[in-house]
Amino acid sequence: MVSIDRSSSRYVGRFAPSPTGPLHFGSVVAAVASYLQARSRGGRWIVRIEDIDPPREEPGATSAILKTLDELGLEWDGAVRYQSHMSASYEYALERLQSSHMTFACTCSRKKLVRGRYPGTCRDAITKDLTGKSIRVKVDGSEIAFNDLLQGHYSQNIEEIIGDYIVKRADGFYAYHLAVVVDDAADGVSEIVRGLDLLSSTPRQIHLQNLLGLTTPSYAHIPLVLSQSGTKLSKQTAAPAIDLASSCAVLIRALEFLQQAPPPSLYQQTRNEIIQWAISNWNIAAVNGISRAYPN
Ligand SMILES: [Zn+2]
């Protein structure tokens, strides 16, 4: 791991939503946390639209997401990056993996997985025609461990839990793990602040960073906002889009969920004053890392 000078303006953070629907409160919390972590360090904050899974995308979602960020006063640096424009970089990364014999073509359906783990069925098959086949990357039995700023030490043996995993899908789309590590490297992202649902994906991303010779950023996985019944708020479970009638109220609710203790006087302030207070007073160590409902 490369150490990062946390005080310098080389800090780059990012928010990377997929355009499967408008932002719900849980995704706003993730945006606010990554924004404040970057801005409180004088760093850059970029926005990336993860639009590499067209079957799951919703027309108009990208513009709705960007409009929400804008209305919340979460200003990003530079142009928005679109994963759909990055295919050449993903292909280059895939070719690097292929040329080091770390990949193989797979024809297995999901039914071949054993308790969610790929058992290596096609690993040693010699396949010349890749049409209609997924590409998996080989894993070995080593543990991948990292220290998460909020979740502490996390370790996973990918071979035991997941097995060789997909980097390019049979339908021709690049897998999320490959795309995300290529993009984070291209943008020089130094720390990834994102939802806890991605914690168990992180070892695969570190594995790919290692294979591709990319720097591993720091990670901070923030708690998820759960529904009152304890499930994750998500676009898939039809979580309501946030009501932007009052962007101030949404920001304060996000700060409360993140345990930043916004003072009552802040409720009378303008949106920009709330953002300024939040940047000046941001303390990631105060965030309780456990997912929970809000309000509870
Ligand atoms: Zn297979």
Side-chain angles (χ1 to χ4, degrees):
M1 269 214 206
V2 172
S3 68
I4 290 154
D5 178 357
R6 296 180 184 284
S7 63
S8 89
S9 59
R10 284 178 292 159
Y11 184 102
V12 180
R14 47 76 154 182
F15 177 59
S18 22
T20 50
L23 296 183
H24 55 75
F25 182 58
S27 38
V28 166
V29 165
V32 167
S34 67
Y35 176 86
L36 294 175
Q37 180 74 348
R39 293 297 189 232
S40 65
R41 286 151 192 255
R44 284 169 55 76
W45 187 68
I46 60 172
V47 170
R48 176 197 309 146
I49 301 294
E50 300 203 325
D51 55 347
I52 46 158
D53 195 356
R56 288 181 57 234
E57 284 155 26
E58 183 186 297
T62 295
S63 55
I65 289 168
L66 296 176
K67 183 165 180 277
T68 299
L69 295 176
D70 189 51
E71 289 180 353
L72 290 171
L74 305 178
E75 286 179 21
W76 57 88
D77 292 306
V80 173
R81 184 186 284 288
Y82 291 87
Q83 285 192 325
S84 56
H85 300 175
M86 291 287 288
S87 299
S89 300
Y90 305 149
E91 190 58 37
Y92 178 70
L94 186 66
E95 283 166 10
R96 288 189 58 192
L97 296 173
Q98 285 168 327
S99 65
S100 53
H101 308 288
M102 287 306 296
T103 60
F104 61 92
C106 170
T107 53
C108 301
S109 69
R110 288 185 72 85
K111 284 183 221 142
K112 291 276 178 72
L113 301 183
V114 181
R115 288 181 296 279
R117 177 183 175 274
Y118 180 71
T121 317
C122 308
R123 204 176 219 227
D124 300 314
I126 294 167
T127 317
K128 294 229 165 62
D129 180 15
L130 302 181
T131 319
K133 300 183 177 74
S134 57
I135 309 290
R136 289 183 185 268
V137 67
K138 294 175 194 169
V139 293
D140 60 25
S142 57
E143 291 280 328
I144 296 210
F146 66 103
N147 282 310
D148 187 274
L149 195 56
L150 289 173
Q151 307 299 330
H153 180 81
Y154 187 82
S155 170
Q156 185 183 73
N157 185 321
I158 306 172
E159 216 280 316
E160 280 178 7
I161 310 267
I162 296 148
D164 305 321
Y165 56 93
I166 292 176
V167 282
K168 190 174 186 184
R169 297 173 0 190
D171 60 10
F173 293 113
Y174 297 93
Y176 166 71
H177 302 298
L178 183 73
V180 80
V181 301
V182 169
D183 291 336
D184 286 328
D187 291 322
V189 171
S190 58
E191 186 173 69
I192 295 174
V193 178
R194 63 182 178 188
L196 188 50
D197 50 332
L198 289 163
L199 181 69
S200 63
S201 316
T202 307
R204 272 168 282 177
Q205 292 162 27
I206 294 174
H207 178 247
L208 281 176
Q209 288 154 2
N210 292 344
L211 291 178
L212 292 166
L214 304 173
T215 302
T216 292
S218 309
Y219 289 92
H221 285 88
I222 62 158
L224 304 179
V225 181
L226 304 181
S227 69
Q228 296 299 330
S229 62
T231 56
K232 185 199 169 212
L233 286 189
S234 73
K235 295 156 191 168
Q236 288 72 36
T237 56
I242 52 158
D243 175 9
L244 276 169
S246 170
S247 50
C248 296
V250 172
L251 286 169
I252 287 176
R253 281 163 55 206
L255 293 171
E256 284 176 348
F257 182 81
L258 292 164
Q259 278 138 331
Q260 300 302 298
S265 60
L266 208 59
Y267 291 67
Q268 317 304 325
Q269 310 270 297
T270 65
R271 184 198 71 184
N272 289 353
E273 286 168 335
I274 295 169
I275 296 268
Q276 281 314 312
W277 180 90
I279 294 170
S280 305
N281 292 277
W282 173 245
N283 175 16
I284 199 167
V287 176
N288 171 350
I290 299 168
S291 300
R292 59 206 180 274
Y294 175 89
N296 51 22

